[in-house]
Amino acid sequence: MLTTMFRRAAAPTALALSAVLAPAATAGADETPADSLRTVPIPDSVRGPKFPSFTPDGERLVFTGTPQGSTRSEIMTIRENGTGLTCLTCGLDTGSDDDLSQPLVFPDGRRMVVNSGIPGGGTLVLECEKKISKCRDPEVVPLNFPEPGEGHVLQKGREVRIAPDGKHVAFTQIRTTSTGEPGYLANVGTLRRAENSYEIDDARVVSAKGEAKSFTHDGRSLVVSEYVDTPEAANPDVFLFDLATGHKTRLTYANDYDEDLQFAPDGERYVVGSGRDSDIFATLSQLTRPNFIGPGLQPVFTTLFNQRRERPDLLEPWLVRSGSEEKGDLGEPLAPGATDGGWDSRMKNHWSPDSTKVAFWQQNMTDAAESRMVIADVSDRPSEPLPARTTPDPDWAAPLKDYVPETFSPAESRPGHASGSVTIEEHPHPDDPELTTLKVTYDDFSDDGKSVINGTEQADHTAGGVVGTVHYTAGLTMSGAHEGTLTADLHADPGAGDGHEPEPGAAKLEGSVVSEVDGHRLRLP
């Protein structure tokens, strides 16, 4: 059941989703409840099954698993009923002993992209003479990310996604901004098979605010999770970029963390990894306001994300009908009660080709080495996918080569669109030269003419953006259509690590944030 808070989704500010995807169909009796989960049976000879995805013909799952007696995770295939287990990479020389993970099959059904090592550590393409399900001796070919030119790269490539045309790829690269902070770049380029490698040509920066997550199934648009400079304070969201024009459409509106989003092949629904209904980020965001404090709150976001093993509800899969979020309907969970039963649902989520099933994996919350793969049956009615077209080259976007991300600066002081004003001040901290103070003062401020905000919020933060630290204080009140308060005295430190699997307890929140809107009271930590 969605709470009142989530029914108050932010008002849409972009082109309606129905203009870029298939029209939403009316839910009918042919749809299966979203809590219809089944576990994929895995032989005892395999440990730690993870990252399932369907082959293009829907006959098998490809996944990551570790054979008993081995230390390397391998790429395997299996049928949904647990029969026909095949290890594609066992005994295969990949050039290192690094784990292989996160397999994604090309639309031709004969090639597969996999991670080697931790995300960003290396990427390979496995090539088969026949389709994946009959592959016995794949060839291993490295996928090389573009040379940076003058830009300083922290991580060359991660989150590789294959366009439906099989000719374009999306990937995320992390570079430093002009002031030395990490910047996430979502890119699209053309894939080229060279003699001994795959290369990415003419890579373009579609978004400099987050990670590439998926292509729409017609190949015309890219889904991007944006973490900085988002519309509302403390509310990371997911956006859709038309690759032919650059037009940007907002997809998610929940007052909490949203990240990985995958559309069904028929375009009628999507699954999003989300914290909606968890009241984690919502403690800071439910008093809805423009993102004036954004740069100052980034360390809080990273700290909460790095605590995701301690807050397993942060990225649960939710099933949503396309176009419904902008109307306030934020869908239903695919694994309700999973965390109460000791299982943490993990990204990524993958649809079957006929749009009837979603595959993902879950980790045991008390034994991180134990995992299982599950399938959610979400419809009894198979449907045809959207026709795949050639993915447009995003010529409107800046070339990745020599690209230096900008450091996102605070917005300027301004009058409210309906009443009052907001005053934004940024200056060195008077007592600590390593800190910058960002202060936002609201004086009868209103953009919508319905709710009015008064008070001050302030962030004393170090350099580093998403990997910095912050002392955040706030005393805000809201009146009018919605009544509420936000008070805070919070220190946030994201902790060390590679950002992939944080050490328990490394990310720390000290102090508290308390908010209440229309009687809905929340508190962090």
Side-chain angles (χ1 to χ4, degrees):
M1 180 69 68
L2 297 176
T3 64
T4 302
M5 175 189 69
F6 288 105
R7 291 293 178 185
R8 291 198 309 270
T13 58
L15 182 68
L17 187 60
S18 58
V20 290
L21 293 175
T26 302
D30 56 1
E31 294 196 358
T32 306
D35 59 355
S36 298
L37 276 185
R38 51 193 169 93
T39 301
V40 179
I42 301 294
D44 292 339
S45 58
V46 176
R47 297 177 288 110
K50 302 174 183 177
F51 302 114
S53 63
F54 288 94
T55 55
D57 58 13
E59 294 179 357
R60 283 178 169 260
L61 295 167
V62 295
F63 69 100
T64 299
T66 304
Q68 291 287 357
S70 175
T71 58
R72 186 177 84 166
S73 294
E74 308 286 358
I75 304 302
M76 304 180 178
T77 74
I78 198 169
R79 298 186 187 96
E80 290 179 43
N81 63 6
T83 64
L85 175 69
T86 302
C87 183
L88 296 177
T89 59
C90 289
L92 190 66
D93 182 6
T94 61
S96 77
D97 294 327
D98 290 339
D99 288 337
L100 304 177
S101 67
Q102 302 190 33
L104 291 176
V105 181
F106 279 70
D108 61 17
R110 298 170 58 181
R111 294 175 294 166
M112 182 190 310
V113 63
V114 301
N115 281 347
S116 175
I118 64 171
T123 305
L124 306 172
V125 176
L126 304 185
E127 297 181 327
C128 300
E129 291 186 5
K130 300 178 180 180
K131 65 180 183 178
I132 294 294
S133 59
K134 297 182 178 181
C135 188
R136 293 297 179 268
D137 189 20
E139 182 178 357
V140 181
V141 184
L143 190 159
N144 296 324
F145 295 99
E147 290 301 316
E150 295 184 3
H152 179 65
V153 174
L154 298 175
Q155 192 176 88
K156 274 194 170 184
R158 60 188 291 164
E159 303 288 347
V160 175
R161 301 292 186 267
I162 308 160
D165 66 2
K167 300 175 182 178
H168 291 80
V169 293
F171 64 98
T172 298
Q173 188 173 93
I174 305 178
R175 297 191 177 198
T176 55
T177 67
S178 56
T179 56
E181 299 176 2
Y184 287 75
L185 308 179
N187 315 287
V188 169
T190 303
L191 191 64
R192 173 173 55 87
R193 175 61 155 98
E195 183 177 357
N196 298 307
S197 65
Y198 279 87
E199 307 293 333
I200 301 175
D201 296 331
D202 194 25
R204 300 291 181 118
V205 182
V206 174
S207 171
K209 300 180 182 181
E211 293 182 301
K213 291 299 174 181
S214 60
F215 288 93
T216 52
H217 284 269
D218 63 359
R220 305 292 293 180
S221 300
L222 182 71
V223 175
V224 178
S225 297
E226 294 196 337
Y227 311 130
V228 298
D229 198 32
T230 51
E232 293 106 28
N235 190 15
D237 273 303
V238 184
F239 298 84
L240 189 72
F241 287 82
D242 185 314
L243 293 174
T245 66
H247 186 89
K248 180 180 178 180
T249 303
R250 185 173 178 178
L251 294 177
T252 59
Y253 290 84
N255 280 341
D256 220 294
Y257 190 84
D258 293 311
E259 189 185 324
D260 190 62
L261 188 151
Q262 304 284 333
F263 280 102
D266 63 11
E268 292 187 356
R269 292 172 293 175
Y270 56 80
V271 174
V272 58
S274 179
R276 57 192 69 188
D277 216 14
S278 68
D279 293 342
I280 299 175
F281 279 60
T283 307
L284 288 155
S285 68
Q286 71 163 338
L287 196 146
T288 305
R289 60 208 185 277
N291 197 13
F292 302 126
I293 194 69
L297 276 184
Q298 287 177 16
V300 179
F301 301 165
T302 312
T303 302
L304 289 171
F305 186 79
N306 283 353
Q307 292 180 339
R308 62 192 181 277
R309 298 288 77 82
E310 303 156 50
R311 305 176 186 275
D313 289 333
L314 183 65
L315 284 170
E316 287 294 293
W318 283 67
L319 180 67
V320 185
R321 186 159 292 282
S322 298
S324 67
E325 286 210 35
E326 60 185 346
K327 302 172 185 176
D329 184 2
L330 303 183
E332 57 183 325
L334 276 183
T339 55
D340 292 338
W343 291 98
D344 177 12
S345 300
R346 303 291 301 273
M347 301 185 295
K348 304 174 174 63
N349 309 296
H350 287 277
W351 287 85
S352 62
D354 62 3
S355 300
T356 64
K357 296 170 282 193
V358 179
F360 54 99
W361 66 285
Q362 295 178 322
Q363 186 176 47
N364 189 304
M365 292 165 56
T366 57
D367 181 2
E370 183 182 359
S371 61
R372 65 186 185 185
M373 301 190 302
V374 296
I375 293 176
D377 295 299
V378 298
S379 178
D380 295 327
R381 181 193 58 167
S383 60
E384 292 295 323
L386 294 174
R389 295 183 286 173
T390 300
T391 294
D393 295 316
D395 297 331
W396 51 269
L400 176 61
K401 186 177 181 180
D402 299 326
Y403 188 90
V404 179
E406 65 175 300
T407 299
F408 290 99
S409 301
E412 296 182 353
S413 302
R414 66 170 175 85
H417 298 322
S419 68
S421 63
V422 61
T423 302
I424 302 169
E425 305 169 78
E426 184 182 44
H427 53 77
H429 191 280
D431 300 323
D432 189 339
E434 295 186 358
L435 295 178
T436 296
T437 295
L438 175 59
K439 183 178 180 181
V440 181
T441 303
Y442 303 86
D443 184 9
D444 289 335
F445 175 85
S446 178
D447 271 349
D448 62 8
K450 299 176 181 179
S451 297
V452 177
I453 301 175
N454 280 283
T456 298
E457 57 182 335
Q458 179 171 313
D460 299 319
H461 62 96
T462 61
V466 295
V467 295
T469 62
V470 68
H471 177 208
Y472 173 69
T473 56
L476 301 178
T477 62
M478 174 180 281
S479 59
H482 299 290
E483 302 282 336
T485 60
L486 170 65
T487 59
D489 188 350
L490 184 75
H491 292 266
D493 183 349
D498 59 17
H500 173 57
E501 196 66 39
E503 290 292 330
K508 299 183 183 300
L509 290 177
E510 297 179 352
S512 67
V513 179
V514 179
S515 66
E516 182 172 348
V517 175
D518 297 340
H520 188 65
R521 184 177 177 85
L522 302 174
R523 180 187 177 92
L524 278 177

